[in-house]
Amino acid sequence: TNPLGVHSDLLKVLAAAGGVINRALLPRFRGQISWAVKTGEIVRVLPAIYARCGEAESLSVRVRAVMQADPDAVIVGRAAAVLHGLLHERECRAIEVASERLHTRGWLRVTRRRIPVELISTDDGVRVSSAALTVVDLIPVVGSAIVDTGLRCRIRLEDMKTALGAIPWRSGNRERAKVLARSASRPWSPAERVAHEALTAAGVRGWKANLAITSSAIADIAFEELKLVFEIDGRTY
């Protein structure tokens, strides 16, 4: 055993499983798991699912716990947005999953919806709604800002529209469609969206949004013929 009391064999299993283990799948380790739970070195994350103490509340561990409990589950909503780099982890207080097997409890919110297979991404065993579907899903919750973030992260507006078309039964789709329609100019932030709407309302033409000037410089709004650039906000936004 190591100084903390966890058997070295169990440590190896934990490491190989990404820090999460399913007790039901490890019958020969039941004694070691019981001892580690008793000494407080590992804690239960979900029924029969355990992780190291101090790591159990992290998003990455909870996501892997969900996959251990239901390999067919799909991470959706804010948690999916965090995994795609669209939101910060602090913006995700609960993990929402689409699952036929799991039940809502504490930090876990379960929905019985079915995600089209073409809109599921898999990364290292974690099934998550595609980036485009994740953006579309969150429009009624976050508003148009999530579309701006998605566009800034190079998620194509066409892919968002395709994802919307693949979930015709979802409540809130009318709002989703309106926001996507208003995103035709492809703004990368709420401030840029306001600027685009002002230019359009004033009848100003001949400009492009987010035009690459060099490999590292992108103009928020550019009038190419006039060689005129407007910067609305910057990298630190």
Side-chain angles (χ1 to χ4, degrees), residues 86-159:
L86 301 170
L87 294 178
H88 296 291
E89 186 169 343
R90 64 177 178 271
E91 299 177 81
C92 178
R93 296 182 179 180
I95 295 178
E96 184 179 354
V97 303
S99 170
E100 298 292 332
R101 192 183 309 174
L102 302 178
H103 300 280
T104 296
R105 61 176 71 233
W107 53 266
L108 183 66
R109 292 175 51 203
V110 179
T111 176
R112 299 303 179 197
R113 61 183 288 203
R114 292 182 179 273
I115 308 298
V117 65
E118 67 272 16
L119 295 179
I120 298 175
S121 302
T122 302
D123 183 16
D124 195 20
V126 176
R127 287 159 51 89
V128 58
S129 59
S130 70
L133 177 59
T134 300
V135 168
V136 169
D137 268 348
L138 287 174
I139 289 175
V141 179
V142 182
S144 61
I146 192 65
V147 177
D148 304 338
T149 300
L151 292 169
R152 190 168 65 249
C153 293
R154 303 299 199 275
I155 302 171
R156 300 195 318 151
L157 184 62
E158 293 75 15
D159 292 339

Side-chain angles (χ1 to χ4, degrees), residues 44-63:
R44 193 180 80 160
V45 185
L46 289 172
I49 311 297
Y50 296 85
R52 293 289 297 270
C53 183
E55 301 174 357
E57 294 184 2
S58 70
L59 178 68
S60 60
V61 165
R62 285 177 169 176
V63 162

